[in-house]
Amino acid sequence: MINAILFDFDGTLINTNDLIFQSYNHAFQKVFHRDIKLEEFLKFYGRPLRKSIIEEYGDDGYELVEVYRVFNAENHDRLIKKFHGTTEGLLLLKENNIKLGVVTSKRREMVLKGIDFLGYNNMFDALVTLDDTIKHKPDPEPILKGCELLETSPENTIYVGDSIFDIIAGHAAGTKTCAVKYSLTSKEELLSHNPDYYCDTIFDFAKKIVQENKYE
């Protein structure tokens, strides 16, 4: 019986793809005086911003992160969108008494900004952000923290995300996992990490879980 669902945030619950890409590109133009290449962008997709940038670009990474964050905050509301079926899926899960939480490598301030903008304020029972754990995905610590806050076991939980790091972290934590088809990561790469579910929308995923729970 599944009694809890934990979600990644960017690229899973909220369409920040344009915002994130434009933030990276703006930072690269400012610091390196060039556009970011797609293969460079995809290397950071689903990873903590500051750690991954500084690991890749050394001292220049500190400036990249600062420029990125300023642009990202200033253009947040203009560039974010809802994914089709997400609101309906979250509501269906809540109506069936499934606990919901967010586990993300994003800063709490910006997560709350996105939740508020999309009207999801009363949707989640737990929130684990970059600020709440020492280790981050693909390490399982954030997901285990989410399970703890929801007072559920990993075995009764599914972690839903859009990157291979989400799937790896979920498996390591002992949860089931779900990958979303609208990810920027290719289907082949996502499926190579063996998610338990692969869904078109959060609504489709929710219907499947509610149906499966009825037969448990």
Side-chain angles (χ1 to χ4, degrees):
M1 174 73 74
I2 296 300
N3 56 35
I5 311 288
L6 293 169
F7 295 92
D8 175 51
F9 196 64
D10 285 332
T12 300
L13 288 180
I14 179 174
N15 188 346
T16 51
N17 293 335
D18 285 345
L19 173 64
I20 292 173
F21 183 81
Q22 289 192 39
S23 298
Y24 270 117
N25 203 49
H26 175 77
F28 269 66
Q29 289 172 343
K30 282 282 189 179
V31 177
F32 294 140
H33 309 291
R34 66 173 176 86
D35 293 338
I36 189 172
K37 298 173 183 175
L38 181 60
E39 57 267 29
E40 287 178 302
F41 170 69
L42 291 177
K43 280 196 299 186
F44 306 125
Y45 187 64
R47 300 175 60 196
L49 170 71
R50 191 174 188 275
K51 183 176 185 294
S52 56
I53 286 288
I54 291 171
E55 281 180 356
E56 185 73 19
Y57 298 107
D59 289 343
D60 287 331
Y62 293 97
E63 185 179 359
L64 280 168
V65 170
E66 182 59 30
V67 175
Y68 174 103
R69 285 179 171 170
V70 171
F71 180 93
N72 191 275
E74 290 177 347
N75 293 275
H76 179 274
D77 292 358
R78 180 174 68 86
L79 292 175
I80 66 171
K81 305 170 188 173
K82 283 188 176 183
F83 284 119
H84 174 70
T86 299
T87 302
E88 296 86 347
L90 294 174
L91 288 171
L92 179 61
L93 292 168
K94 285 191 75 69
E95 287 167 4
N96 284 272
N97 300 311
I98 295 175
K99 299 176 183 178
L100 304 181
V102 171
V103 175
T104 174
S105 298
K106 195 182 184 89
R107 290 180 298 150
R108 178 171 289 263
E109 171 192 359
M110 296 306 293
V111 177
L112 292 174
K113 186 179 178 72
I115 287 174
D116 181 64
F117 184 82
L118 295 176
Y120 291 163
N121 303 75
N122 300 313
M123 213 61 98
F124 304 107
D125 306 294
L127 178 60
V128 180
T129 71
L130 180 69
D131 314 296
D132 299 313
T133 59
I134 295 172
K135 296 179 181 179
H136 308 291
K137 296 179 295 183
D139 190 276
E141 183 180 338
I143 296 175
L144 292 172
K145 178 71 172 179
C147 291
E148 178 187 333
L149 292 174
L150 291 180
E151 300 181 337
T152 187
S153 66
E155 293 80 12
N156 299 114
T157 303
I158 302 174
Y159 186 56
V160 183
D162 65 313
S163 82
I164 62 170
F165 304 107
D166 298 321
I167 302 168
I168 294 169
H171 286 323
T175 69
K176 290 186 176 181
T177 59
C178 174
V180 295
K181 290 186 181 181
Y182 47 83
S183 169
L184 294 181
T185 302
S186 69
K187 175 181 179 180
E188 292 73 22
E189 189 169 7
L190 285 172
L191 294 183
S192 73
H193 290 272
N194 301 310
D196 298 280
Y197 301 89
Y198 186 53
C199 67
D200 286 303
T201 69
I202 299 301
F203 187 46
D204 292 329
F205 166 73
K207 288 188 291 185
K208 185 172 184 62
I209 298 309
V210 168
Q211 185 69 19
E212 287 183 356
N213 271 353
K214 289 180 179 178
Y215 293 99
E216 285 291 333

